Amino acid sequence: MSYLFLFFSIVTEVTATLLLKASNGWEKWWLGMGSIFFYSLASLFLAFVLKNMNVGMTYAIWSGVGIALVCAASVFIWQQKFDVYAICGVALIFMGTALITIKSSVFEH
């Protein structure tokens, strides 16, 4: 169940971040308000996850996957361009997150 809540937390956090960018510095205030709503949901889901999972591992997965998804979405939504260094950096974040998730002994308590 923890991973389901973690999934929802990641999706809502990524949605919030994309809405914040789309608000254009709060010029489109309704998108900014949507961002606050989704950040609140992400925090709620993350709180449920932290009842059963180690905080370090949870945060590594949450932030790593979130960064990768925001970067990928920005390519499609805003046509952001990535150079080889940005791609390698995101790949390293992904590999680090996978390493912690698969091999770390600090899992659930």
Side-chain angles (χ1 to χ4, degrees):
M1 192 65 158
S2 294
Y3 280 107
L4 182 62
F5 282 126
L6 183 56
F7 170 79
F8 287 136
S9 181
I10 292 167
V11 169
T12 54
E13 184 270 332
V14 168
T15 302
T17 301
L18 297 174
L19 284 172
L20 193 58
K21 167 69 174 162
S23 77
N24 197 27
W26 281 78
E27 285 180 14
K28 299 175 183 173
W29 62 269
W30 59 94
L31 295 176
M33 295 301 288
S35 178
I36 289 174
F37 172 75
F38 281 104
Y39 276 130
S40 298
L41 277 181
S43 297
L44 179 68
F45 289 132
L46 194 60
F48 293 143
V49 173
L50 291 174
K51 287 177 70 174
N52 298 311
M53 287 181 70
N54 178 292
V55 68
M57 183 169 176
T58 300
Y59 194 72
I61 296 168
W62 184 71
S63 60
V65 173
I67 290 168
L69 289 176
V70 167
C71 289
S74 67
V75 168
F76 294 107
I77 297 171
W78 293 288
Q79 289 72 47
Q80 180 177 342
K81 303 292 184 213
F82 280 87
D83 59 15
V84 69
Y85 301 109
I87 293 169
C88 288
V90 171
L92 286 171
I93 290 169
F94 179 77
M95 288 187 302
T97 302
L99 181 65
I100 289 171
T101 305
I102 296 167
K103 291 294 186 179
S104 178
S105 63
V106 255
F107 205 170
E108 295 190 26
H109 59 255

